[in-house]
Short mmCIF file of all heavy atoms in Angstrom, two decimals:
data_model
loop_
_atom_site.label_atom_id
_atom_site.label_comp_id
_atom_site.label_asym_id
_atom_site.label_seq_id
_atom_site.Cartn_x
_atom_site.Cartn_y
_atom_site.Cartn_z
N VAL A 186 -21.43 -4.52 2.69
CA VAL A 186 -21.41 -3.53 3.85
C VAL A 186 -20.87 -4.38 5.08
O VAL A 186 -21.18 -5.66 5.22
CB VAL A 186 -22.75 -2.83 4.13
CG1 VAL A 186 -23.11 -2.08 2.87
CG2 VAL A 186 -23.87 -3.88 4.33
N THR A 187 -20.22 -3.72 5.96
CA THR A 187 -19.59 -4.48 7.15
C THR A 187 -20.14 -3.87 8.39
O THR A 187 -20.21 -2.63 8.46
CB THR A 187 -18.10 -4.46 7.06
OG1 THR A 187 -17.67 -3.20 7.42
CG2 THR A 187 -17.61 -4.86 5.60
N GLY A 188 -20.23 -4.69 9.33
CA GLY A 188 -20.56 -4.16 10.77
C GLY A 188 -21.49 -5.11 11.55
O GLY A 188 -22.58 -5.48 11.00
N GLU A 190 -23.13 -4.22 13.88
CA GLU A 190 -24.31 -3.47 14.25
C GLU A 190 -25.47 -3.44 13.37
O GLU A 190 -26.55 -3.06 13.68
CB GLU A 190 -23.85 -1.97 14.69
CG GLU A 190 -23.51 -1.14 13.54
CD GLU A 190 -22.09 -1.29 13.04
OE1 GLU A 190 -21.51 -2.39 12.97
OE2 GLU A 190 -21.59 -0.20 12.50
N LEU A 191 -25.23 -4.02 12.09
CA LEU A 191 -26.17 -3.84 11.07
C LEU A 191 -27.29 -4.83 10.99
O LEU A 191 -27.03 -6.02 11.24
CB LEU A 191 -25.50 -3.84 9.63
CG LEU A 191 -24.42 -2.79 9.54
CD1 LEU A 191 -23.69 -3.02 8.14
CD2 LEU A 191 -24.89 -1.39 9.65
N GLY A 201 -27.93 -1.04 20.60
CA GLY A 201 -26.63 -0.90 19.82
C GLY A 201 -26.66 -1.19 18.31
O GLY A 201 -25.77 -0.89 17.61
N ILE A 203 -28.20 -1.02 14.40
CA ILE A 203 -28.82 0.05 13.48
C ILE A 203 -29.20 -0.63 12.16
O ILE A 203 -28.68 -1.69 11.72
CB ILE A 203 -27.83 1.19 13.14
CG1 ILE A 203 -26.58 0.72 12.49
CG2 ILE A 203 -27.52 2.00 14.37
CD1 ILE A 203 -25.73 1.78 11.85
N VAL A 204 -30.08 0.02 11.44
CA VAL A 204 -30.52 -0.45 10.10
C VAL A 204 -29.41 -0.21 9.09
O VAL A 204 -28.97 0.99 9.08
CB VAL A 204 -31.92 0.07 9.73
CG1 VAL A 204 -32.24 -0.36 8.37
CG2 VAL A 204 -32.94 -0.31 10.71
N ASP A 205 -29.22 -1.13 8.26
CA ASP A 205 -28.17 -0.90 7.17
C ASP A 205 -28.85 0.16 6.20
O ASP A 205 -29.87 -0.29 5.58
CB ASP A 205 -27.83 -2.20 6.50
CG ASP A 205 -27.20 -2.00 5.16
OD1 ASP A 205 -26.55 -1.04 4.99
OD2 ASP A 205 -27.42 -2.95 4.39
N SER A 206 -28.22 1.22 6.05
CA SER A 206 -28.70 2.11 5.08
C SER A 206 -27.79 2.34 3.89
O SER A 206 -28.18 2.53 2.79
CB SER A 206 -29.03 3.61 5.63
OG SER A 206 -27.70 4.18 6.01
N ASN A 207 -26.56 1.96 4.13
CA ASN A 207 -25.63 2.07 2.96
C ASN A 207 -25.77 1.07 1.98
O ASN A 207 -25.61 1.26 0.66
CB ASN A 207 -24.12 1.94 3.56
CG ASN A 207 -23.71 3.07 4.33
OD1 ASN A 207 -24.15 4.22 4.03
ND2 ASN A 207 -22.81 2.88 5.27
N GLY A 208 -26.18 -0.17 2.32
CA GLY A 208 -26.45 -1.30 1.27
C GLY A 208 -27.50 -0.76 0.31
O GLY A 208 -27.10 -0.70 -0.98
N PRO A 209 -28.72 -0.42 0.68
CA PRO A 209 -29.67 -0.06 -0.28
C PRO A 209 -29.37 1.30 -0.99
O PRO A 209 -29.49 1.43 -2.19
CB PRO A 209 -30.96 0.20 0.56
CG PRO A 209 -30.75 -0.28 1.92
CD PRO A 209 -29.27 -0.59 2.10
N VAL A 227 -24.02 -8.48 3.52
CA VAL A 227 -23.58 -7.87 4.86
C VAL A 227 -22.63 -8.74 5.52
O VAL A 227 -22.93 -10.06 5.67
CB VAL A 227 -24.91 -7.73 5.73
CG1 VAL A 227 -24.51 -7.02 7.05
CG2 VAL A 227 -26.00 -6.86 5.01
N ASP A 230 -18.09 -8.23 11.53
CA ASP A 230 -16.78 -7.69 11.75
C ASP A 230 -15.90 -8.85 12.23
O ASP A 230 -15.08 -8.73 13.27
CB ASP A 230 -16.84 -6.63 12.86
CG ASP A 230 -17.54 -5.31 12.29
OD1 ASP A 230 -17.22 -5.01 11.09
OD2 ASP A 230 -18.21 -4.60 13.00
N VAL A 254 -17.82 -1.44 2.34
CA VAL A 254 -18.26 -0.36 3.22
C VAL A 254 -18.05 -0.49 4.54
O VAL A 254 -18.63 -1.45 5.17
CB VAL A 254 -19.75 0.00 2.79
CG1 VAL A 254 -20.11 1.30 3.57
CG2 VAL A 254 -19.94 0.09 1.39
N GLY A 255 -17.46 0.54 5.28
CA GLY A 255 -17.25 0.35 6.70
C GLY A 255 -15.90 -0.37 7.02
O GLY A 255 -15.31 -1.03 6.09
N GLY A 256 -15.39 -0.26 8.25
CA GLY A 256 -14.18 -1.11 8.62
C GLY A 256 -12.98 -0.60 7.90
O GLY A 256 -12.09 -1.42 7.66
N MET A 257 -12.89 0.63 7.36
CA MET A 257 -11.79 1.15 6.55
C MET A 257 -10.86 2.03 7.43
O MET A 257 -9.82 2.41 6.87
CB MET A 257 -12.40 1.93 5.46
CG MET A 257 -12.97 1.22 4.33
SD MET A 257 -11.92 -0.02 3.61
CE MET A 257 -10.56 1.00 3.03
N SER A 258 -11.11 2.22 8.67
CA SER A 258 -10.40 3.28 9.35
C SER A 258 -9.46 2.57 10.36
O SER A 258 -8.75 1.65 10.08
CB SER A 258 -11.39 4.28 9.93
OG SER A 258 -10.74 5.41 10.32
N MET A 259 -9.41 3.21 11.60
CA MET A 259 -8.36 2.78 12.56
C MET A 259 -8.98 2.05 13.72
O MET A 259 -8.29 1.88 14.78
CB MET A 259 -7.66 4.00 13.00
CG MET A 259 -7.36 5.00 11.92
SD MET A 259 -5.78 4.68 11.18
CE MET A 259 -4.73 5.51 12.42
N GLY A 260 -10.29 1.60 13.67
CA GLY A 260 -10.91 1.06 14.92
C GLY A 260 -10.36 -0.45 14.95
O GLY A 260 -9.76 -1.01 13.99
N ARG A 262 -11.95 -3.12 15.01
CA ARG A 262 -12.55 -4.01 14.03
C ARG A 262 -12.58 -3.54 12.59
O ARG A 262 -13.35 -3.96 11.81
CB ARG A 262 -13.95 -4.35 14.54
CG ARG A 262 -14.03 -5.08 15.91
CD ARG A 262 -13.48 -6.54 15.67
NE ARG A 262 -13.50 -7.27 16.88
CZ ARG A 262 -14.53 -8.06 17.20
NH1 ARG A 262 -15.55 -8.12 16.42
NH2 ARG A 262 -14.49 -8.80 18.40
N ASP A 263 -11.68 -2.67 12.27
CA ASP A 263 -11.63 -2.18 10.84
C ASP A 263 -10.68 -3.15 10.12
O ASP A 263 -9.56 -2.85 10.01
CB ASP A 263 -11.12 -0.70 10.86
CG ASP A 263 -12.28 0.21 11.36
OD1 ASP A 263 -13.38 -0.24 11.51
OD2 ASP A 263 -12.01 1.40 11.60
N PRO A 288 -11.04 8.03 5.03
CA PRO A 288 -10.49 6.62 5.01
C PRO A 288 -10.73 5.90 3.64
O PRO A 288 -10.42 4.69 3.61
CB PRO A 288 -11.30 5.91 6.19
CG PRO A 288 -12.16 6.85 6.87
CD PRO A 288 -12.38 8.02 5.97
N LEU A 303 -14.98 2.08 1.23
CA LEU A 303 -15.61 3.39 1.64
C LEU A 303 -15.84 3.44 3.14
O LEU A 303 -16.09 2.35 3.70
CB LEU A 303 -16.93 3.55 0.81
CG LEU A 303 -16.90 3.51 -0.56
CD1 LEU A 303 -18.39 3.76 -1.16
CD2 LEU A 303 -15.98 4.75 -1.04
N PRO A 304 -15.79 4.60 3.79
CA PRO A 304 -16.09 4.59 5.16
C PRO A 304 -17.61 4.35 5.34
O PRO A 304 -18.48 4.47 4.43
CB PRO A 304 -15.85 6.12 5.44
CG PRO A 304 -15.35 6.78 4.31
CD PRO A 304 -15.49 5.94 3.13
N GLY A 305 -17.87 3.83 6.59
CA GLY A 305 -19.30 3.29 6.78
C GLY A 305 -20.23 4.39 7.11
O GLY A 305 -21.43 4.40 6.89
N ASN A 306 -19.64 5.51 7.66
CA ASN A 306 -20.53 6.77 7.89
C ASN A 306 -21.43 6.97 6.61
O ASN A 306 -20.84 7.20 5.43
CB ASN A 306 -19.50 7.84 8.06
CG ASN A 306 -20.29 9.17 8.45
OD1 ASN A 306 -21.16 9.42 7.69
ND2 ASN A 306 -19.81 9.72 9.38
N PRO A 307 -22.71 6.98 6.75
CA PRO A 307 -23.53 7.08 5.57
C PRO A 307 -23.34 8.18 4.55
O PRO A 307 -23.32 7.95 3.38
CB PRO A 307 -25.04 7.11 6.15
CG PRO A 307 -24.83 6.37 7.43
CD PRO A 307 -23.51 6.83 7.89
N CYS A 310 -20.00 7.54 2.86
CA CYS A 310 -20.20 6.51 1.83
C CYS A 310 -20.79 7.12 0.56
O CYS A 310 -20.31 6.82 -0.50
CB CYS A 310 -20.96 5.52 2.45
SG CYS A 310 -21.48 4.12 1.58
N SER A 377 -22.38 12.46 10.02
CA SER A 377 -23.09 11.29 10.57
C SER A 377 -24.56 11.61 10.39
O SER A 377 -25.35 10.74 10.98
CB SER A 377 -22.63 11.12 12.02
OG SER A 377 -22.99 12.14 12.79
P1 LIG B 1 -17.11 2.36 10.23
O1 LIG B 1 -16.66 2.91 8.94
O2 LIG B 1 -17.32 0.87 10.07
O3 LIG B 1 -16.33 2.70 11.36
O4 LIG B 1 -18.57 2.90 10.52
C1 LIG B 1 -18.68 4.29 10.76
C2 LIG B 1 -20.08 4.60 11.19
O5 LIG B 1 -20.99 4.27 10.18
C3 LIG B 1 -20.56 3.82 12.44
O6 LIG B 1 -21.40 4.61 13.11
C4 LIG B 1 -21.35 2.74 11.72
O7 LIG B 1 -22.38 2.22 12.58
C5 LIG B 1 -21.91 3.38 10.58
N1 LIG B 1 -22.25 2.49 9.53
C6 LIG B 1 -21.35 1.52 9.00
N2 LIG B 1 -21.97 0.90 8.03
C7 LIG B 1 -23.23 1.30 7.95
C8 LIG B 1 -24.29 0.91 7.04
N3 LIG B 1 -24.21 -0.07 6.20
N4 LIG B 1 -25.48 1.60 7.18
C9 LIG B 1 -25.55 2.61 8.07
N5 LIG B 1 -24.58 3.08 8.93
C10 LIG B 1 -23.42 2.38 8.88
#
Side-chain angles (χ1 to χ4, degrees):
V186 297
T187 72
E190 71 274 37
L191 302 178
I203 61 167
V204 175
D205 165 29
S206 64
N207 288 331
V227 182
D230 285 324
V254 185
M257 285 302 300
S258 196
M259 317 270 278
R262 290 298 181 91
D263 287 350
L303 299 179
N306 183 312
C310 177
S377 64

